């Protein structure tokens, strides 16, 4: 099966190339954290390390720490050299109370088996007067294309996987965590929450651009192995339907998306 971290990077690249409006998640989070450049920052579930890389490149001089439960992510961030990396579970961080000035969890909460416990850990390791920032993709991200991929994958015996199943860190927990539910969990944990929403869309100008992203979703969200002949079968049937749509509508293919930044002071 394809490496989820690599597929995540492919999704990020797609969003950078085909977003209707420019966006800069790292800048949005830096702004929400009100950084001065000297804070000790932890990025929980740091993934590819992009946020920490951007933070250092922006001139931040404080200590930067990235944690992730995936060894491949830890290795990737370790290669940055200027960031401390720790292999750690977001529900059991190996740090003292109030150890950080700022804490982030970017597109992480919906991967945790217990999001409330994850927020409690963020709160614990952040000093009083510090700040935390959480980001979540909107639930309806490219809903039309995702539904089409799920339909065609189901014809070949593949179902849509939950976030926790994708990362194999926990069993399926049922209803996915959405922005409203996450905001309510933050209100419970911190007593308040500030919500900043950025709406956008993916706009694919050609059939091939749609199918390229559909293939990523087929492997990432539906778990179709790269070498499986059913991957090609799914791609073929998807291609027929997408080409028919472009022939009828002329394009481009537009699908809404977006993300929200949630912040709270500890």
């Amino acid at each position: 099966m394809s490496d989820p971290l690599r597929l995540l990077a492919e999704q990020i690249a797609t969003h950078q190339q085909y977003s209707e409006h420019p966006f800069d998640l790292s800048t949005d989070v830096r702004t929400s954290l009100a950084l001065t450049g000297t804070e000790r920052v932890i990025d929980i579930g740091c993934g590819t390390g992009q946020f920490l890389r951007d933070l250092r490149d922006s001139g931040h001089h404080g200590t930067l720490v990235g944690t992730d439960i995936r060894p491949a992510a830890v290795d990737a961030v370790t290669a940055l050299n200027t960031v401390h990396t720790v292999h750690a579970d977001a529900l059991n961080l190996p740090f003292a109370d109030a150890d950080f000035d700022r804490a982030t969890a970017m597109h992480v909460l919906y991967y945790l088996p217990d999001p409330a416990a994850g927020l409690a850990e963020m709160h614990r390791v952040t000093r009083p007067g510090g700040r935390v920032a959480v980001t979540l993709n909107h639930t309806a991200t490219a809903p039309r294309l995702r539904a089409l991929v799920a339909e065609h994958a189901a014809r070949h015996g593949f179902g849509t996987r939950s976030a926790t199943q994708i990362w194999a860190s926990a069993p399926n927990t049922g209803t996915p965590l959405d922005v409203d539910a996450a905001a309510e969990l933050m209100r419970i944990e911190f007593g308040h929450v500030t919500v900043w929403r950025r709406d956008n869309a993916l706009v694919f100008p050609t059939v091939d651009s749609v199918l390229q992203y559909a293939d990523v979703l087929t492997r990432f969200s539906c778990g179709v192995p790269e070498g499986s002949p059913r991957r090609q079968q799914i791609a073929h049937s998807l291609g027929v339907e997408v080409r028919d749509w472009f022939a009828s509508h002329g394009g481009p293919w537009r699908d809404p998306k977006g993300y929200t930044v949630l912040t709270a002071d500890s």
Side-chain angles (χ1 to χ4, degrees):
M1 186 176 295
S2 303
D3 172 27
L5 199 61
R6 178 166 57 81
L7 289 174
L8 178 61
E10 290 184 41
Q11 291 199 70
I12 292 171
T14 298
H15 283 262
Q16 290 171 337
Q17 181 174 1
Y18 293 110
S19 287
E20 185 172 41
H21 305 294
F23 71 96
D24 188 334
L25 177 61
S26 292
T27 296
D28 290 342
V29 174
R30 290 202 308 269
T31 301
S32 72
L33 290 174
L35 296 170
T36 65
T38 61
E39 293 86 358
R40 179 173 166 85
V41 179
I42 180 172
D43 185 25
I44 301 164
C46 58
T48 63
Q50 186 63 53
F51 173 67
L52 296 171
R53 182 185 300 110
D54 292 344
L55 198 55
R56 184 63 81 205
D57 289 348
S58 73
H60 192 89
H61 300 296
T63 299
L64 301 179
V65 177
T67 75
D68 208 291
I69 199 170
R70 299 159 291 180
V74 173
D75 291 343
V77 179
T78 298
L80 300 177
N81 296 323
T82 58
V83 176
H84 300 282
T85 54
V86 179
H87 181 260
D89 187 336
L91 303 185
N92 187 24
L93 297 171
F95 302 103
D97 295 354
D99 201 10
F100 296 91
D101 302 301
R102 302 287 190 271
T104 63
M106 300 168 64
H107 303 331
V108 168
L109 279 193
Y110 28 50
Y111 296 136
L112 302 181
D114 189 345
L119 289 173
E121 271 294 88
M122 289 185 74
H123 198 175
R124 181 185 68 78
V125 302
T126 305
R127 67 169 175 81
R131 180 171 293 181
V132 305
V134 168
T135 69
L136 295 97
N137 283 325
H138 296 167
T139 303
T141 294
R144 189 154 57 100
L145 184 55
R146 287 180 180 273
L148 189 63
V149 168
E151 176 188 338
H152 285 262
R155 295 176 187 174
H156 295 273
F158 291 94
T160 302
R161 300 183 298 167
S162 70
T164 50
Q165 288 173 320
I166 289 172
W167 298 111
S169 59
N172 189 356
T173 54
T175 304
L177 183 75
D178 62 17
V179 171
D180 290 340
E184 180 58 25
L185 289 178
M186 289 191 71
R187 289 189 188 95
I188 294 171
E189 177 63 35
F190 295 95
H192 65 283
V193 64
T194 299
V195 179
W196 188 81
R197 179 183 177 100
R198 180 183 280 273
D199 291 309
N200 208 328
L202 286 170
V203 180
F204 297 106
T206 65
V207 170
D208 286 346
S209 60
V210 175
L211 295 180
Q212 182 179 25
Y213 190 50
D215 181 60
V216 174
L217 295 177
T218 298
R219 291 175 286 149
F220 187 80
S221 299
C222 299
V224 180
E226 286 195 1
S228 171
R230 285 181 289 179
R231 177 188 171 197
Q232 283 71 42
Q233 294 165 0
I234 293 168
H236 175 75
S237 61
L238 272 167
V240 170
E241 190 158 347
V242 172
R243 288 186 180 90
D244 286 346
W245 186 90
F246 269 83
S248 299
H249 296 80
W253 180 290
R254 184 182 186 277
D255 247 342
K257 67 159 189 164
Y259 59 80
T260 292
V261 182
L262 306 172
T263 61
D265 295 328
S266 62

